[in-house]
Amino acid sequence: GKKGFIVRWYIPERDVEQRLATGKFIMVLDTSDASGGDDISLLIIDVENFDTIAAGTYNNLNLIDFAEWIAYDWIIKYENITTLFERRSSAIAILDAVIRILLSVGVDPFTRLFNRVVNDSDEDPKRFKDMCLLPVYKKTEYCTTNKKTFGFATSGSGMGNRSDLYGDRLREAAKVVGYKVSDRTTIDQITGLINKGGRVDHQPGAHDDLVIAWVLAYWFCTKAKNLSHYGIDTKKLLSGLRVIKIESDVDYYEQERQHQHRLEVEEIYNQLQNEKDERVVSNLERRMRHLNSLIVLRDDETFSVEE
């Protein structure tokens, strides 16, 4: 990107532009002050099949630079991305900067950023109608007046109930889309959660910001309302998921084992891209072929080690 921020891609580089131009995605940002403590985390998910498209964690940065990167390199560049900020910490300042940039280039923040004016249109139809009637070039004051509606505010109760996110939503997401997690850092954060004083939290010295982003992406696909305003066809939400039928603990164990085989193949593939030592390459290829022999293909799946 323009500011030098890096993401971990989970689709081939040659397919990035076409995939982002043709699909529909939710980009979730769990922010922080980025001053050496908690990370800012970014997660981009395909809303149709919940594929992880890209992920990133950031720290020790200028928040204005980061806001410009999010606005120009993601939201403006890719029209099929809807962005959801967890509204805490530095998110409010970053949102202010992003909204100002979007308005300056004629992009309506209410169609690109998750907000409660759109989400709660049934509860407050007048507010929603007033927003829709205003042309973009006249929305600066309206955005300022309604700035608190942008983002997902985690709280002790209500829509942003953290206990609900780390309770029912997390358990449901694990059952329905847990097998779709591709990012190793996200996996480590999910599996590293502990019970701390009666609440789910990360271990001392660890992080859970990508967990929050992942659960919020699932919440958006299953609980957010009026998504057509963001250009999302609700009939396609999670329509690309395969139906998982777990008959027993043995089936569950085998499913997890198969998932780990696929992850290890991807890791070996990434190592092979830069490895120059022929002996190491040979060992990695041998391990990959062994894993390939253990993988059981799903219906309509092709998994070619040769490719």
Side-chain angles (χ1 to χ4, degrees), residues 253-301:
Y253 170 77
E254 179 58 25
Q255 175 188 299
E256 289 300 304
R257 195 167 67 127
Q258 288 290 317
H259 182 56
Q260 292 303 318
H261 291 338
R262 285 169 168 77
L263 285 177
E264 188 174 349
V265 168
E266 294 294 339
E267 288 181 355
I268 292 173
Y269 172 77
N270 290 331
Q271 291 178 51
L272 285 170
Q273 302 310 297
N274 301 310
E275 184 57 58
K276 304 300 181 184
D277 189 316
E278 291 185 2
R279 289 176 298 176
V280 175
V281 168
S282 178
N283 288 335
L284 289 173
E285 288 181 345
R286 190 178 303 111
R287 175 60 180 167
M288 182 182 278
R289 293 184 188 282
H290 173 66
L291 288 167
N292 184 55
S293 70
L294 301 177
I295 290 175
V296 178
L297 294 181
R298 309 181 189 116
D299 292 341
D300 302 321
E301 180 188 32

Side-chain angles (χ1 to χ4, degrees), residues 199-210:
R199 64 193 291 263
V200 178
D201 209 336
H202 59 77
Q203 300 178 46
H207 299 277
D208 67 351
D209 35 88
L210 276 167

Side-chain angles (χ1 to χ4, degrees), residues 53-70:
I53 302 301
T57 49
Y58 311 94
N59 217 318
N60 295 309
L61 52 80
N62 182 288
L63 294 177
I64 301 303
D65 285 345
F66 187 77
E68 290 177 351
W69 180 61
I70 292 297

Side-chain angles (χ1 to χ4, degrees), residues 25-38:
F25 309 92
I26 177 67
M27 175 168 67
V28 184
L29 291 157
D30 181 30
T31 67
S32 73
D33 292 336
S35 56
D38 289 341

Side-chain angles (χ1 to χ4, degrees), residues 7 35 45 60 63 94 114 144 150 212 215 222 238 241 257 262 279 298:
V7 296
S35 56
I45 298 289
N60 295 309
L63 294 177
I94 296 174
F114 172 82
T144 301
F150 287 98
I212 291 290
V215 175
T222 57
L238 303 184
L241 296 179
R257 195 167 67 127
R262 285 169 168 77
R279 289 176 298 176
R298 309 181 189 116

Side-chain angles (χ1 to χ4, degrees), residues 82-307:
T82 303
T83 303
L84 187 158
F85 283 84
E86 187 200 1
R87 187 182 174 81
R88 69 177 184 87
S89 187
S90 62
I92 299 169
I94 296 174
L95 269 166
D96 275 349
V98 168
I99 290 170
R100 173 177 288 184
I101 293 169
L102 296 184
L103 290 170
S104 72
V105 298
V107 175
D108 188 346
F110 289 97
T111 65
R112 303 301 310 284
L113 306 175
F114 172 82
N115 63 90
R116 286 187 287 109
V117 173
V118 172
N119 194 74
D120 301 345
S121 58
D122 290 342
E123 290 85 345
D124 196 340
K126 183 181 182 304
R127 181 175 65 174
F128 178 69
K129 182 178 179 181
D130 290 344
M131 180 273 293
C132 291
L133 290 174
L134 273 176
V136 175
Y137 68 90
K138 288 187 176 181
K139 278 186 175 170
T140 300
E141 183 178 348
Y142 188 86
C143 285
T144 301
T145 304
N146 292 277
K147 62 184 292 183
K148 67 180 180 180
T149 68
F150 287 98
F152 185 104
T154 50
S155 61
S157 61
M159 186 182 82
N161 187 338
R162 182 183 172 93
S163 296
D164 176 63
L165 286 177
Y166 263 178
D168 292 342
R169 296 290 78 74
L170 178 59
R171 285 192 292 271
E172 185 180 328
K175 292 178 181 177
V176 178
V177 294
Y179 75 99
K180 301 293 289 189
V181 186
S182 301
D183 180 56
R184 174 62 66 182
T185 306
T186 304
I187 293 171
D188 289 344
Q189 290 189 15
I190 293 172
T191 57
L193 293 172
I194 59 172
N195 187 315
K196 185 186 294 183
R199 64 193 291 263
V200 178
D201 209 336
H202 59 77
Q203 300 178 46
H207 299 277
D208 67 351
D209 35 88
L210 276 167
V211 183
I212 291 290
W214 184 68
V215 175
L216 283 179
Y218 182 75
W219 176 90
F220 179 85
C221 291
T222 57
K223 297 296 182 181
K225 297 179 290 184
N226 200 14
L227 297 186
S228 60
H229 192 78
Y230 307 115
I232 295 173
D233 183 351
T234 55
K235 296 191 297 297
K236 294 183 177 181
L237 286 171
L238 303 184
S239 62
L241 296 179
R242 63 183 174 87
V243 177
I244 303 175
K245 186 177 181 181
I246 299 176
E247 301 290 352
S248 66
D249 289 342
V250 174
D251 292 337
Y252 180 79
Y253 170 77
E254 179 58 25
Q255 175 188 299
E256 289 300 304
R257 195 167 67 127
Q258 288 290 317
H259 182 56
Q260 292 303 318
H261 291 338
R262 285 169 168 77
L263 285 177
E264 188 174 349
V265 168
E266 294 294 339
E267 288 181 355
I268 292 173
Y269 172 77
N270 290 331
Q271 291 178 51
L272 285 170
Q273 302 310 297
N274 301 310
E275 184 57 58
K276 304 300 181 184
D277 189 316
E278 291 185 2
R279 289 176 298 176
V280 175
V281 168
S282 178
N283 288 335
L284 289 173
E285 288 181 345
R286 190 178 303 111
R287 175 60 180 167
M288 182 182 278
R289 293 184 188 282
H290 173 66
L291 288 167
N292 184 55
S293 70
L294 301 177
I295 290 175
V296 178
L297 294 181
R298 309 181 189 116
D299 292 341
D300 302 321
E301 180 188 32
T302 58
F303 197 92
S304 171
V305 165
E306 292 302 328
E307 290 182 3

